[in-house]
């Protein structure tokens, strides 16, 4: 992982879900990021969505654009790992 960011995205049912976006090489997989989180974070902090991108979106001041990460297209392209969060 070269760089990563986390944002809250609107949930269909309850409070916001967590989306993690990571930029890295071609071998980077959403499942590997989730496994890393499972080993190091409490269950409530595990992301539901993991988006693997070539690069994180930036705003005019070169900061990561969390607004762009909340766009529906990013969530649609992200892996939905709810089944891993629930242990199924």
């Amino acid at each position: 992982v070269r760089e990563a960011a986390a944002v809250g995205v609107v949930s269909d049912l309850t409070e916001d879900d967590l989306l993690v976006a990571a930029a890295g090489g071609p071998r980077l997989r959403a499942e590997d990021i989730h496994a890393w989180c499972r080993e190091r974070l409490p269950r409530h902090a595990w992301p539901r969505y993991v988006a693997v991108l070539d690069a994180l979106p930036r705003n005019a001041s070169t900061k990561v654009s969390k607004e762009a990460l909340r766009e529906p297209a990013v969530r649609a392209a992200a892996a939905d790992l709810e089944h891993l969060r629930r242990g199924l």
Side-chain angles (χ1 to χ4, degrees), residues 5-7 11-14 18 34-35 40 50 54 59 68 77 79 82-83:
V7 295
S11 172
D12 296 333
L13 302 174
T14 61
L18 184 62
H34 193 272
R40 292 166 177 82
V50 176
D54 293 330
N59 61 23
E82 181 66 12
H83 64 286

Side-chain angles (χ1 to χ4, degrees), residues 7-84:
V7 295
V9 293
V10 177
S11 172
D12 296 333
L13 302 174
T14 61
E15 60 190 47
D16 289 351
D17 286 320
L18 184 62
L19 181 143
V20 169
R27 297 185 324 194
L28 185 60
R29 298 178 331 127
E31 292 81 4
D32 296 335
I33 294 169
H34 193 272
W36 187 94
C37 292
R38 284 182 69 151
E39 292 173 7
R40 292 166 177 82
L41 300 174
R43 186 181 199 112
H44 70 273
W46 296 351
R48 175 170 182 177
Y49 300 101
V50 176
V52 177
L53 308 171
D54 293 330
L56 296 182
R58 305 279 177 180
N59 61 23
S61 63
T62 70
K63 293 182 179 181
V64 173
S65 174
K66 293 191 175 189
E67 182 177 310
L69 290 175
R70 289 187 181 98
E71 289 292 325
V74 174
R75 186 163 114 182
D80 184 348
L81 302 176
E82 181 66 12
H83 64 286
L84 295 177

